[in-house]
Every structure is written in C-alpha cells, then in structure tokens.
C-alpha cells in the first residue's frame, strides 16, 4: 500500500464487536483473564493498550519499519532511548539540536555519568572525528532545529555501522511523509508526535520506531519498566491526526516554499534558512534523502538586532507567537528567548544561532494571507 493509504488504514481495522470504523478509545487499566495467565494479548494498560497498539503499528508502517512504541511525549521517548546506555557511554550529537533534547542530555543523563559531544553534523567528517572508543550512539536531527541544517543520514549510517554504533534520527521535522531514516540505515527513529503527526496542536506525545527485534524488546522493556506511556485518548487523537498527514504535508511544503522564496527576495531580510533554496548548503543532500524540504523556515532581518526580531514576532496577526510547530495553524517564534532558551549562549553562538533569528512553522492557511501578515509585521 502507498503512503497516503497507510496513513489512514495501517494498524487499524473496524472494531470487531461493533463495526465502528474508528479505533475505540480503550479507557481501561486492566483486562479480564479466563484463568491465571491466559489473556488475549493485554494484561495491564501500562504494558499494552489496544488504542496505543493501533497507533504503534500505524507509525511503524509509516516509517517502513517493523516495530513502534509510543510515549507520553517526545522527550519521554528520548529518555527511553538514553536508558539503553550506562555510565561512561559517549554520545555524539548535533550542535543545532532541539533545546529539550540538549537539556535532557546535559542536565539529566550527564549527571548519571553519560558523556555527550555536540558537533556540526552537516559535516559527516566532523561526526566521524568526534567518535571515541566509548561512543555508543550518534543522535541526529535533520533538518535541524532551528537552522534547518541537513545531515546525510546514509553516509553517517555507514560510519556507525562499521563501528557498531547505534544511529538514532529524530524525524520530527521531516515526518515519514518526506523522509524515512530506517531505509537510509538508521536503527531507531524518534518522533515528537506533538508536531506534524498529531498536526492539530491538541495533544502531546512521542514515538520510537525500529526494525531491530532485539532493540525493540529492550525499548519495550524500558517503556513498561519506566512507564512514560500516553493515555488512550491521546493515542486516538494522534491516530486521527495522522490520517490527514499526507495532504497536510503537501500544503505545509508548498506554503513554506513560497514564503521562503518571497522572504529570500525581500530587501528587509538578510538571510533565509530553508533547505529548498538552491544556495542552502544542504540543498543537494536534502533533495536526495527527502521528497520535499518541509514546512519550517527560519530567517534573520537586515540589521540582525534582537530587539527588531522580538518586535516582529509580536506584530503578526495570523502567525501566532508560540513554541511548538507542525500544527495546521502558522506559528512564529524567537528561538533564543523561547524554544532554545535552555541552550547556553556560548553553545548557541558556536552553532551559528543568531540572537535575532526568527523561526516559522508555516501552516496550511492561504499563502497570500500568510505573506501579507509577515509583510506587515516586518514593517
Ligand atoms: C518538540 C520536539 C521534541 C520533544 O517532543 P515533546 O513532545 O515536546 O516532548 C523533540 N525533538 C524535536 C525535533 C521537537 O521539535
């Protein structure tokens, strides 16, 4: 089945007892057994719940992988991956990372003895050079947040495979609609389903997908042992959101492409970060590993002052000033004072994240309205 069919049907069958076409929300904590130990696949809802199972199967199918596991948030999924490791283990990651991922690495797991290095992962050589004797995992985001740098997943996966290092790709920005990292050699794909997969800004969730049976078993053990699971209603909302992923992404991508090109031609704008632009350093790799460059656009105004950026993001009327991304409605934000405030200033500077950078999550509204809104706000 093709992607646009799988988003609607994978993991879901009409309810056998009623014929209900939508997966029921199984609001139950436990399951009745006929005799001790004879259950029908479900014992207790931390371990497994049919609504969650449907979502887990659906997401695995979208990533062309065997197994999916859902969590209470993207960071709960991140937490589960990090629990595969031990004190003394080393991780190489990108220097332009989701702020919360940077925070859980350096402020939670570092205190348990794990070690982290952050490099410009748009250079495979820099990733290779950062690998040490005790490196156990490479953790990538591509496109990155908020600079939209591109990492060559296939190239990094070759480096990791040679040294038996786990490769994890946070695929939140691209979604499986645009990029499928497992097929490019990643071992685990992570999602904040809060973003494009849910798509309607009404639910927080996370997921891990893998085709490796052993890894899946270990992650499922951690999911149950640590217990950071999503509730069945959250799973239902995410499942419902995913049904329109394919059509939503088409509009997100075409709107973002038009906005990025318009900003790029505007004399008030100094620099646009968007992998779809021909002069973006990752343009070629993005073309190779993604079917479209996505719905996120970042830019810096001429003058590059933080004050001007803060005023601009406060002036839009359709673009809502808010953290998060990937919903149907357009959002604008100032990463340095919002999503990336947790990253120390010297780390931000080293990564090239300007204090005046503005990030857009381009929604699926009329693109002319969006353009007019930005035009007035830039002033
Ligand atoms: C939001 C986000 C996360 C964290 O997900 P939550 O659902 O907010 O916990 C991780 N990675 C990326 C790229 C994100 O945008």
């Amino acid at each position: 089945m093709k992607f646009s069919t799988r988003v609607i049907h994978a993991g879901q069958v009409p309810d056998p007892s009623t014929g209900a076409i939508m997966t029921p929300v199984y609001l139950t904590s436990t399951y009745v057994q006929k005799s001790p130990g004879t259950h029908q696949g479900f014992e207790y809802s931390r371990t497994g719940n049919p609504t969650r199972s449907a979502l887990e199967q659906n997401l695995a199918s979208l990533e062309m992988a065997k197994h999916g596991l859902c969590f209470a948030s993207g960071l709960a999924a991140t937490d589960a991956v990090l629990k595969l490791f031990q004190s003394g283990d080393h991780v190489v990651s990108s220097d332009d990372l989701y702020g919360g991922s940077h925070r859980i690495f350096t402020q939670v797991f570092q205190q348990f003895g794990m070690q982290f290095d952050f490099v410009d992962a748009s250079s495979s050589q820099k990733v290779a050079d950062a690998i040490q004797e005790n490196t156990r995992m490479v953790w990538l985001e591509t496109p990155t947040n908020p600079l939209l740098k591109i990492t060559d997943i296939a190239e990094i996966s070759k480096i990791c495979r040679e040294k038996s290092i786990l490769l994890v790709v946070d695929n939140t920005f691209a979604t499986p609609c645009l990029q499928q990292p497992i097929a490019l050699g990643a071992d685990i794909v992570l999602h904040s389903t809060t973003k494009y997969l849910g798509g309607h800004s009404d639910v927080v969730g996370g997921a891990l997908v893998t085709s490796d049976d052993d890894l899946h078993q270990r992650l499922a053990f951690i999911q149950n042992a640590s217990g950071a699971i999503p509730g069945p209603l959250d799973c239902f909302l995410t499942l419902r959101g995913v049904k329109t992923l394919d059509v939503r992404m088409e509009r997100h991508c075409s709107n973002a492409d038009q906005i990025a090109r318009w900003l790029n031609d505007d004399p008030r704008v100094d620099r646009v970060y968007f992998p779809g632009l021909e002069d973006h350093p990752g343009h070629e790799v993005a073309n190779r590993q993604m079917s479209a460059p996505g719905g996120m656009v970042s830019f810096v105004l001429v003058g590059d002052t933080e004050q001007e950026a803060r005023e601009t993001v406060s002036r839009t009327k359709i673009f809502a000033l808010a953290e998060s991304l990937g919903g149907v409605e357009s959002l604008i934000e100032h990463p340095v004072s919002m999503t990336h405030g947790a990253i120390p200033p010297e780390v931000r500077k080293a990564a090239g994240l300007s204090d005046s950078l503005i990030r857009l999550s381009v929604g699926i509204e009329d693109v002319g309205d969006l353009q007019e809104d930005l035009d007035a706000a830039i002033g």
Side-chain angles (χ1 to χ4, degrees):
M1 275 191 287
K2 294 288 194 299
F3 189 82
S4 52
T5 308
R6 281 183 281 127
V7 288
I8 296 165
H9 295 287
Q12 295 156 81
V13 288
D15 176 42
S17 61
T18 62
I21 193 159
M22 288 301 289
T23 305
V25 183
Y26 284 93
L27 286 166
T28 186
S29 59
T30 191
Y31 305 84
V32 176
Q33 308 189 7
K34 286 211 166 61
S35 60
T38 58
H39 56 82
Q40 301 164 32
F42 296 98
E43 292 165 274
Y44 183 64
S45 273
R46 172 168 26 75
T47 321
N49 175 283
T51 317
R52 191 173 96 212
S53 291
L55 177 61
E56 291 176 335
Q57 286 171 38
N58 179 268
L59 297 182
S61 163
L62 299 190
E63 290 286 359
M64 302 293 278
K66 273 167 81 176
H67 309 286
L69 291 167
C70 288
F71 293 84
S73 68
L75 282 174
T78 306
D79 180 80
V81 174
L82 290 165
K83 285 174 177 159
L84 291 169
F85 302 101
Q86 297 175 13
S87 171
D89 288 348
H90 176 252
V91 175
V92 176
S93 189
S94 131
D95 62 4
D96 182 34
L97 199 63
Y98 175 68
S101 305
H102 188 274
R103 184 176 52 203
I104 194 173
F105 289 177
T106 58
Q107 295 186 52
V108 180
F109 282 88
Q110 203 156 282
Q111 91 189 351
F112 296 125
M114 284 188 68
Q115 300 162 19
F116 299 88
D117 267 313
F118 301 93
V119 299
D120 178 358
S122 60
S123 155
S124 302
Q125 190 56 49
K126 287 191 178 148
V127 173
D129 291 347
I131 289 173
Q132 310 173 359
E133 199 68 14
N134 60 340
T135 304
R136 299 284 174 262
M137 171 167 72
V138 170
W139 181 288
L140 299 177
E141 265 175 46
T142 179
T144 62
N145 178 9
L147 294 174
L148 303 167
K149 289 196 230 168
I150 302 292
T151 296
D152 189 329
I153 300 172
E155 204 167 87
I156 302 279
S157 111
K158 234 179 273 158
I159 297 168
C160 290
R161 213 144 284 245
E162 265 171 30
K163 306 196 155 147
S164 302
I165 294 168
L166 204 69
L167 175 60
V168 180
V169 175
D170 179 338
N171 204 27
T172 300
F173 268 39
T175 84
C177 183
L178 308 182
Q179 171 174 283
Q180 294 165 355
I182 302 266
L184 297 167
D187 299 294
I188 299 173
V189 165
L190 177 134
H191 278 286
S192 168
T193 57
T194 313
K195 315 296 168 52
Y196 287 106
L197 295 185
H200 296 76
S201 313
D202 54 6
V203 61
V204 170
L208 298 175
V209 166
T210 183
S211 280
D212 182 307
D213 296 336
D214 176 56
L215 258 181
H216 171 69
Q217 287 308 323
R218 288 161 64 205
L219 291 166
F221 173 83
I222 293 166
Q223 182 197 42
N224 183 48
S226 287
I229 49 138
L233 184 59
D234 292 349
C235 294
F236 175 88
L237 287 170
T238 308
L239 264 177
R240 186 171 79 158
V242 167
K243 285 182 191 286
T244 55
L245 178 67
D246 196 49
V247 288
R248 281 187 285 112
M249 289 313 290
E250 209 175 300
R251 178 70 79 87
H252 280 298
C253 290
S254 86
N255 279 2
D257 190 75
Q258 288 174 76
I259 296 279
R261 286 175 200 285
W262 170 74
L263 285 170
N264 201 38
D265 289 341
D266 193 302
R268 296 168 297 177
V269 175
D270 183 42
R271 179 149 182 215
V272 178
Y273 301 82
F274 181 67
L277 294 174
E278 290 68 20
D279 63 355
H280 185 285
H283 181 66
E284 214 175 286
V285 179
N287 264 351
R288 201 175 333 126
Q289 71 187 15
M290 303 175 78
S291 60
M296 302 296 295
V297 179
S298 294
F299 65 100
V300 173
L301 296 170
V302 167
D304 193 21
T305 67
E306 183 174 348
Q307 187 55 29
E308 186 59 34
R310 293 176 76 105
E311 284 170 16
T312 301
V313 300
S314 311
R315 276 197 292 254
T316 51
K317 302 222 156 52
I318 299 174
F319 278 89
L321 176 59
E323 301 202 358
S324 197
L325 60 109
V328 291
E329 57 286 287
S330 290
L331 303 181
I332 192 165
E333 70 124 354
H334 179 235
V336 163
S337 59
M338 297 170 69
T339 46
H340 290 65
I343 299 181
E346 63 280 5
V347 177
R348 291 198 307 254
K349 206 142 269 151
L353 203 176
S354 152
D355 287 348
S356 73
L357 189 86
I358 295 171
R359 188 189 80 179
L360 305 176
S361 170
V362 181
I364 64 173
E365 301 96 333
D366 178 81
V367 71
D369 288 341
L370 296 180
Q371 208 165 297
E372 251 174 57
D373 191 36
L374 285 175
D375 189 35
I378 293 172

